[in-house]
Amino acid sequence: MTDASIDAQTAFSGTREVDPRYRLDEDALNAWMAVHVADYAGPLTVRQFKGGQSNPTYELTTPSAAYVLRRKPPGVLLPSAHAVDREFQVISALAAQGFPVARPHALCMDETVIGSIFYVMDKVEGRIFWDLKLPGLAPTERRAVYEAQTDALARLHAFDPDAIGLSDYGKAGNYFARQVGRWTKQYRASEIEPIPAMDRLIAFLPDSLPPESPSRIVHGDFRLDNLILAPDAAEVRAVLDWELSTLGDPMADFSYLLIAWAIPASLRNGLGGADLEALGIPSVEETVERYAAATGMRPANLDWLYAYNLFRLAAICQGIAGRVRDGTAASAHARTMAAQVGPLSDAAWGFAKKAGA
């Protein structure tokens, strides 16, 4: 999360020179692309995208095409994190169904090519909105963008994983229990100093789990700035950043999307307290009804789900704090993210108390 005083569109959009820590062997990459990417023809120009905290992401440009490369960062990493091979698996399956993802080309599991595993996909042209208030758009345009976002998530949750070749993409059942356990371990692995609210959440969440919904593909980080929209229409062209995806409870994904309405509007990724009607942005209730009409599902206990999602965000930010400490964080904004652990955990505990803690 970042303060709204930052021009997020400028800060996170576009590319920059490649960070020296993540420099690639461009000759080796060019040779690999020539073998593994259909119709590839160099020479190759490489730049790094500004946005993204976790997996370094690069723009690869040739005279006739543009691609995106996602790699596992070098260095000591948390267990199960940065699984770009899983990203490649899920976008390949979804692309085959016509779901809006960037067309995947090839996965490289040979770490000797650029220093870590990676995959290459098409670069999708369009708009990425980094500020949820959508400055510069008319109210009708804002509503259309939000409705397209909800519809894309509902479409994702409509897929039967078994039917599209993803039956082995995650474990069945006990999703929230497993996720709370996973993020507790990730948090403990990166813990720098005790945070009382996190300790209380780690005790409360496993003992208050909600009933399970049918298992679906869960994106894990479904939000507006992980969508590419058409340049001139409210049409989702590609859903990005599948690093946290798995099989699980779709209510985790949907409530994560809804948490934006509870985060203060003073932050770029918050809508809490904003005049939604004047902005043209649908309310939580309208968003729930639109999603429910498409899927037949609706969240039962939003306070618990909000507590869970904020706890998970705090654990993710603690992981970023650990990478700042270890010198492996991939973004210039990583320190800002790391500073959010305390406020996020306090907010999570507030919702946990509403949920009965």
Side-chain angles (χ1 to χ4, degrees):
M1 291 185 207
T2 54
D3 190 282
S5 63
I6 295 174
D7 181 350
Q9 205 66 32
T10 300
F12 297 109
S13 294
T15 62
R16 56 181 170 85
E17 292 292 323
V18 176
D19 185 320
R21 294 173 298 169
Y22 304 116
R23 204 161 278 153
L24 309 175
D25 182 335
E26 294 186 18
D27 290 338
L29 177 60
N30 184 68
W32 182 89
M33 297 271 288
V35 172
H36 293 92
V37 176
D39 303 320
Y40 173 78
L44 182 65
T45 301
V46 180
R47 288 180 62 81
Q48 188 173 351
F49 285 99
K50 294 179 186 176
Q53 303 291 339
S54 186
N55 293 324
T57 306
Y58 306 78
E59 178 189 60
L60 311 180
T61 308
T62 70
S64 60
Y67 309 92
V68 172
L69 181 152
R70 291 264 290 175
R71 71 178 294 192
K72 192 171 188 172
V76 178
L77 303 172
L78 291 175
S80 79
H82 312 284
V84 296
D85 50 330
R86 284 177 55 80
E87 288 188 34
F88 185 80
Q89 179 187 0
V90 73
I91 67 171
S92 296
L94 291 170
Q97 302 301 316
F99 185 80
V101 290
R103 181 166 69 104
H105 286 285
L107 169 69
C108 180
M109 296 298 289
D110 181 355
E111 295 186 359
T112 66
V113 177
I114 66 167
S116 60
I117 67 171
F118 67 93
Y119 70 92
V120 173
M121 57 186 165
D122 275 349
K123 182 185 179 190
V124 177
E125 297 297 338
R127 300 174 292 170
I128 297 179
F129 294 109
W130 292 96
D131 188 328
L132 290 186
K133 274 76 72 182
L134 300 178
L137 297 191
T140 54
E141 293 175 306
R142 292 191 187 104
R143 175 168 288 273
V145 166
Y146 272 82
E147 290 177 346
Q149 174 183 234
T150 302
D151 293 348
L153 186 60
R155 185 179 173 194
L156 176 66
H157 291 165
F159 290 117
D160 177 348
D162 294 349
I164 65 170
L166 289 174
S167 59
D168 63 345
Y169 196 63
K171 296 179 182 177
N174 300 316
Y175 176 74
F176 282 115
R178 288 186 288 106
Q179 285 291 300
V180 170
R182 174 190 176 181
W183 292 111
T184 296
K185 288 177 185 175
Q186 299 281 47
Y187 170 74
R188 294 298 191 203
S190 300
E191 191 173 11
I192 296 170
E193 59 186 11
I195 299 176
M198 288 298 280
D199 293 335
R200 290 193 292 267
L201 288 160
I202 287 167
F204 167 71
L205 291 171
D207 292 334
S208 56
L209 301 169
E212 292 261 339
S213 299
S215 185
R216 291 291 184 264
I217 302 159
V218 174
H219 179 276
D221 196 15
F222 194 93
R223 60 188 190 193
L224 194 59
D225 57 26
N226 275 334
L227 308 181
I228 297 177
L229 281 91
D232 54 1
E235 171 199 342
V236 177
R237 289 274 177 89
V239 180
L240 307 176
D241 198 357
W242 294 84
E243 182 193 348
L244 298 175
S245 62
T246 188
L247 302 186
D249 193 319
M251 288 303 100
D253 252 2
F254 185 50
S255 60
Y256 177 77
L257 182 68
L258 295 178
I259 200 73
W261 278 260
I263 292 172
S266 58
L267 300 171
R268 70 169 178 90
N269 48 2
L271 295 171
D275 187 341
L276 299 179
E277 188 173 352
L279 288 169
I281 294 173
S283 65
V284 167
E285 293 75 20
E286 288 175 297
T287 304
V288 167
E289 289 308 316
R290 188 176 185 91
Y291 176 87
T295 65
M297 297 181 286
R298 62 179 67 238
N301 186 346
L302 269 181
D303 287 327
W304 191 95
L305 291 166
Y306 284 172
Y308 158 77
N309 277 295
L310 289 166
F311 163 76
R312 178 172 163 273
L313 284 172
I316 290 170
C317 288
Q318 187 63 49
I320 294 168
R323 294 205 302 279
V324 169
R325 176 195 60 199
D326 298 337
T328 60
S331 168
H333 303 279
R335 292 184 185 277
T336 302
M337 294 283 289
Q340 296 297 322
V341 180
L344 283 168
S345 60
D346 287 341
W349 182 243
F351 282 111
K353 288 192 288 187
K354 291 181 183 179

